[in-house]
Amino acid sequence: MNYKIIIWGTGERARKLVERKYFETCDIQGFVDTYKKEKSFLGYNVFDILDLPDSLKSIDYLVIANQYFIEILALCAELKIDRDRIVITDNVQDSVFQEMFLRLKDISEELYFLLEDRQLRFVKTNESDQKDLGRITGKGKYQTPIYTKDYFRYRTFEFVAKEILQDKVEGAVAELGVFRGTFASLINEIFKEKRMYLFDTFEGFVTEEAEDEVKMGRCDSNFVLAHKDTSVEQLLKNLPYPEKCIVCKGMFPASVTEEAANEKYCFVSLDVDFEESTYQGLKFFYPRLAEGGALFLHDYNTFYLEGVKCAVKRFEKNLGLKLKKVPLADRAGTLVIVK
């Protein structure tokens, strides 16, 4: 059957699949790119993701030809795209994704059988998950792809938070670099009895710092642009206990209130991607971190955003001591700093 398809992805995988004619029996209607850099790709129109729901009315399948398929599936859910029309080009050994991979056989048997021997298996969850009735990660809203794709980060946080609560470490909790509130929601859920301070511009990165990071090759302009899609309203919708939260909107550390400056903190999430902002976050929060408290620093061991690690080294040098650091092997290489 000559299926009409739109392909999500304009990278090397999409190029190879088309050029090697794996979809030659299909009628390609165009491509979609998360950040839409170009108007056309391989001679086809490139759709903006916001135009996708209308574009899908006249096609049979949306084929994801991109390694970040979990993130893309999360976007599809936000756009209310029917999962029955989605095809993935990864042979994932997980029941949640198997049907989407099996549909590949309908539109490209050759590619399906090629990938049948290239199984992608997710790492098993922690053994305690099966009997831990009180766990939050992997349940309810926290079982959606945006959480499961970074299981180790969120589940490790839950274990750390449990220790902090059992040890009755005093202090509030905070996050610098909130974006839309994905991690903030989980922190607020677990530390529901504690005040939570949320620091962000809620308008994206500080322009001057972002431009400097792009010039240094630590990220690109599309990365900067993607982080502008945030707001206080999006955050508040995500929070289970918003009444416990204090939103500090603006440039950090100018956004620090007198109340926040006088707090002790038992847990802090620091996720601002760039060197100067990370340094300022460490400079503010580390002296206020309670004994037995923990700070999660995101993007410490990732293949880009090198400024994060530079900020830690700079902070240690200026402080004149080595921090107690535990790196995690999660998606973006979180660093846990304990006191």
Side-chain angles (χ1 to χ4, degrees):
M1 183 174 175
N2 189 25
Y3 290 109
K4 292 181 179 180
I5 65 171
I6 289 177
I7 299 173
W8 192 314
T10 55
E12 278 306 300
R13 181 189 296 196
R15 181 185 296 279
K16 287 178 181 178
L17 294 182
V18 173
E19 290 180 345
R20 294 176 184 177
K21 300 183 178 180
Y22 286 116
F23 301 125
E24 64 177 345
T25 61
C26 298
D27 184 0
I28 300 174
Q29 299 291 297
F31 290 79
V32 62
D33 181 13
T34 308
Y35 303 120
K36 196 181 179 184
K37 307 179 193 69
E38 305 292 342
K39 292 183 178 180
S40 65
F41 180 73
L42 300 177
Y44 297 92
N45 182 46
V46 176
F47 299 104
D48 186 278
I49 60 171
L50 296 179
D51 299 328
L52 195 53
D54 287 334
S55 305
L56 287 172
K57 292 176 182 177
S58 60
I59 64 117
D60 297 299
Y61 291 118
L62 172 65
V63 181
I64 299 175
N66 187 297
Q67 65 176 317
Y68 300 108
F69 69 94
I70 295 180
E71 288 92 334
I72 292 170
L73 287 172
L75 285 172
C76 288
E78 289 180 16
L79 293 168
K80 295 181 170 56
I81 294 172
D82 186 356
R83 287 173 68 94
D84 291 339
R85 301 177 68 190
I86 298 175
V87 178
I88 62 174
T89 54
D90 286 275
N91 183 8
V92 188
Q93 296 303 293
D94 189 296
S95 58
V96 175
F97 306 105
Q98 270 294 287
E99 283 190 13
M100 288 182 279
F101 173 68
L102 289 172
R103 289 185 203 115
L104 181 61
K105 190 175 182 180
D106 292 336
I107 64 174
S108 178
E109 277 196 356
E110 184 181 2
L111 181 58
Y112 172 80
F113 286 118
L114 177 69
L115 296 174
E116 198 175 31
D117 294 328
R118 301 180 184 178
Q119 297 178 348
L120 176 62
R121 294 181 180 273
F122 287 153
V123 177
K124 289 183 179 179
T125 58
N126 184 271
E127 290 181 356
S128 73
D129 288 6
Q130 298 177 22
K131 292 191 175 182
D132 187 356
L133 300 179
R135 71 183 171 90
I136 293 174
T137 307
K139 288 177 147 185
K141 68 179 279 189
Y142 305 106
Q143 65 178 334
T144 54
I146 200 166
Y147 290 98
T148 57
K149 71 182 180 182
D150 209 359
Y151 166 83
F152 289 112
R153 179 190 184 200
Y154 297 120
R155 190 62 170 129
T156 301
F157 158 70
E158 191 169 0
F159 283 131
V160 170
K162 188 175 181 180
E163 294 290 325
I164 290 171
L165 290 169
Q166 286 179 343
D167 292 344
K168 297 181 180 178
V169 180
E170 294 185 354
V173 295
E175 182 167 45
L176 170 57
V178 179
F179 194 38
R180 298 172 188 160
T182 298
F183 196 12
S185 175
L186 187 58
I187 298 168
N188 185 216
E189 186 89 57
I190 294 176
F191 288 112
K192 57 180 176 286
E193 301 298 329
K194 291 184 177 288
R195 282 189 304 280
M196 183 171 185
Y197 294 85
L198 297 162
F199 298 90
D200 203 301
T201 66
F202 295 101
E203 295 174 358
F205 296 113
V206 176
T207 302
E208 186 177 344
E209 184 179 19
E211 289 175 351
D212 288 343
E213 294 279 333
V214 170
K215 286 177 185 176
M216 287 187 281
R218 292 173 172 175
C219 68
D220 59 29
S221 56
N222 290 312
F223 178 81
V224 175
L225 183 63
H227 283 78
K228 288 188 176 182
D229 185 13
T230 176
S231 67
V232 173
E233 290 71 29
Q234 286 186 65
L235 164 67
L236 293 176
K237 286 179 183 178
N238 251 333
L239 299 174
Y241 303 101
E243 70 279 2
K244 301 296 291 187
C245 300
I246 301 108
V247 176
C248 301
K249 186 177 187 293
M251 292 174 60
F252 189 89
S255 59
V256 174
T257 62
E258 182 178 355
E259 183 184 23
N262 290 330
E263 288 277 14
K264 275 282 187 184
Y265 296 90
C266 66
F267 179 82
V268 176
S269 167
L270 183 49
D271 186 5
V272 283
D273 299 339
F274 298 155
E275 180 178 350
E276 184 59 29
S277 290
T278 299
Y279 177 78
Q280 292 299 330
L282 289 169
K283 188 176 176 182
F284 175 79
F285 284 111
Y286 184 75
R288 294 171 172 82
L289 194 64
E291 290 293 325
L295 184 151
F296 271 36
L297 176 57
H298 202 224
D299 299 303
Y300 180 78
N301 273 315
T302 187
F303 63 88
Y304 59 110
L305 301 177
E306 297 96 334
V308 174
K309 188 168 284 189
C310 292
V312 173
K313 291 178 180 177
R314 178 176 151 200
F315 181 71
E316 287 180 321
K317 182 179 179 181
N318 291 344
L319 195 63
L321 62 80
K322 288 291 183 182
L323 300 172
K324 296 175 182 176
K325 305 189 293 284
V326 181
L328 303 183
D330 61 339
R331 188 176 63 87
T334 294
L335 181 72
V336 181
I337 298 172
V338 295
K339 243 189 179 182

